[in-house]
Amino acid sequence: MRLVNAKEMLRKAKEGHYAVGHFNLNNMESVRAFLLAAQGTRSPIILGVSGGTAKYMGGYRTITDMVEDFMAYLDITVPVALHVDHGKYEEALDALNGGFSSVMFDGSKLPIEENLEKTRHIVELCREKNVSVEAEVGCIGGQEDGHVAMGECADPAECGQIAKLGIDMLAAGIGNIHGKYPADWKGLNFEVLAAIQKAAGDIPLVLHGGSGIPDDMVRQAISLGVCKVNVNTECQIAFTEATRKFIEDGRDLTGNGFTPRALLADGLVATKEKCIEKMTLFGSLGKA
């Protein structure tokens, strides 16, 4: 089975009142872990790639080829979309040319008119290649240089404007942030979320910063129209903790434990388990 765009899987999620998990790739182990998790649970899945990951893993074409080859090797039959995460304008174009099946153009930091103009152009290009499009309104918060910026709440009217451009999914800030949530985080703003869904019509909504949000909040967000939840930090932590324990236990000093395959194997398993845990929460098991 080849890569698919995210439109059909999100349409089904919208109708079925569940969400599809978006999991960020970080290395080869994460590719394998997420594909095995999706296949084993019969869940559709979206694999996300940030600009930094694209550079680290050899560019968008390299990643496309790697994911498709792994899908063939592992006999993956569930729907898999390969998606640009928070892509700048040039990154979205590079990914389009690199074989990605879905892109996010993040113009949320631009003036709304410029965001609309560039999103409109991305939509036109993606329609020609049958690629799904995610847009963003209202910056998602996060950590930078040790400072945590709280997430914005998007303007529902602006969400309505961008939804009319023909996008397939909309990321809108509702107080969510990337990375670890601080102790004084106030939680998601469900009143704004409901207003955004009303303004955006039937467009599936996207919840970024899905790591660390309490389960009951995630479920409520899904009940209000969120059909795609992005997870990265929790999978990274699971990978790192498992790898650290392997070394602390001294297993790298016995047998062939020094080989990279052995060193990273527990991290792969931990990543897969965390992925399944999240897909269970999102309600996507058995939906492929």
Side-chain angles (χ1 to χ4, degrees):
M1 187 169 184
R2 297 184 64 82
L3 293 167
V4 299
N5 67 41
K7 288 184 284 189
E8 182 65 11
M9 62 175 75
L10 293 183
R11 182 191 66 78
K12 290 181 178 179
K14 187 82 170 177
E15 293 176 353
H17 305 290
Y18 62 90
V20 177
H22 166 291
F23 299 91
N24 283 73
L25 301 182
N26 290 285
N27 53 19
M28 187 186 73
E29 283 70 27
S30 60
V31 176
R32 191 174 192 127
F34 295 143
L35 289 177
L36 290 173
Q39 185 67 27
T41 60
R42 302 300 304 169
S43 296
I45 192 168
I46 300 171
L47 304 180
V49 177
S50 67
T53 295
K55 293 175 182 177
Y56 175 72
M57 294 180 67
Y60 296 105
R61 174 56 65 184
T62 300
I63 296 172
T64 298
D65 292 343
M66 177 189 296
V67 171
E68 289 186 332
D69 287 347
F70 262 112
M71 289 174 64
Y73 178 73
L74 298 172
D75 194 23
I76 302 299
T77 58
V78 298
V80 178
L82 186 58
H83 182 77
V84 178
D85 190 27
H86 288 287
K88 299 176 183 177
Y89 186 73
E90 295 77 11
E91 291 170 340
L93 297 180
D94 287 346
L96 271 173
N97 293 326
F100 271 50
S101 63
S102 187
V103 303
M104 175 187 186
F105 166 60
D106 182 359
S108 61
K109 295 180 180 179
L110 302 173
I112 184 60
E113 291 304 324
E114 186 177 354
N115 189 0
L116 289 167
E117 179 184 353
K118 290 187 173 179
T119 299
R120 183 181 293 108
H121 187 224
I122 292 292
V123 168
E124 291 173 355
L125 295 175
C126 287
R127 288 293 169 266
E128 296 174 0
K129 295 192 175 185
N130 195 30
V131 168
S132 51
V133 181
E134 176 180 347
E136 181 173 328
V137 178
C139 291
I140 310 299
Q143 183 169 329
E144 185 175 359
D145 297 328
H147 173 70
V148 176
M150 294 302 180
E152 295 180 4
C153 283
D155 181 342
E158 293 182 354
C159 292
Q161 285 181 277
I162 212 160
K164 294 177 181 177
L165 299 180
I167 61 172
D168 301 294
M169 50 195 131
L170 174 64
I174 54 171
N176 44 322
I177 69 172
H178 294 117
K180 294 182 178 179
Y181 282 82
D184 60 348
W185 180 58
K186 297 179 180 179
L188 300 178
N189 190 321
F190 294 111
E191 184 177 345
V192 171
L193 175 58
I196 288 170
Q197 184 66 91
K198 183 178 181 180
D202 292 331
I203 298 291
L205 301 183
V206 180
L207 180 63
H208 283 254
S211 293
I213 297 177
D215 289 357
D216 61 331
M217 285 191 180
V218 173
R219 294 190 188 97
Q220 187 171 352
I222 292 172
S223 74
L224 292 172
V226 166
C227 301
K228 173 177 177 278
V229 182
N230 288 29
V231 178
N232 187 19
T233 300
E234 283 187 79
C235 291
Q236 290 178 326
I237 291 172
F239 181 90
T240 300
E241 288 180 344
T243 304
R244 181 189 299 115
K245 188 175 188 307
F246 182 91
I247 295 173
E248 289 176 345
D249 290 346
R251 292 164 59 197
D252 59 314
L253 302 177
T254 62
N256 289 326
F258 59 86
T259 64
R261 288 198 304 275
L263 179 67
L264 302 179
D266 285 8
L268 189 158
V269 172
T271 301
K272 176 184 173 183
E273 291 175 348
K274 180 59 67 175
C275 180
I276 293 173
E277 175 188 320
K278 289 297 179 180
M279 290 190 296
T280 303
L281 170 63
F282 304 155
S284 68
L285 273 60
K287 303 299 185 182

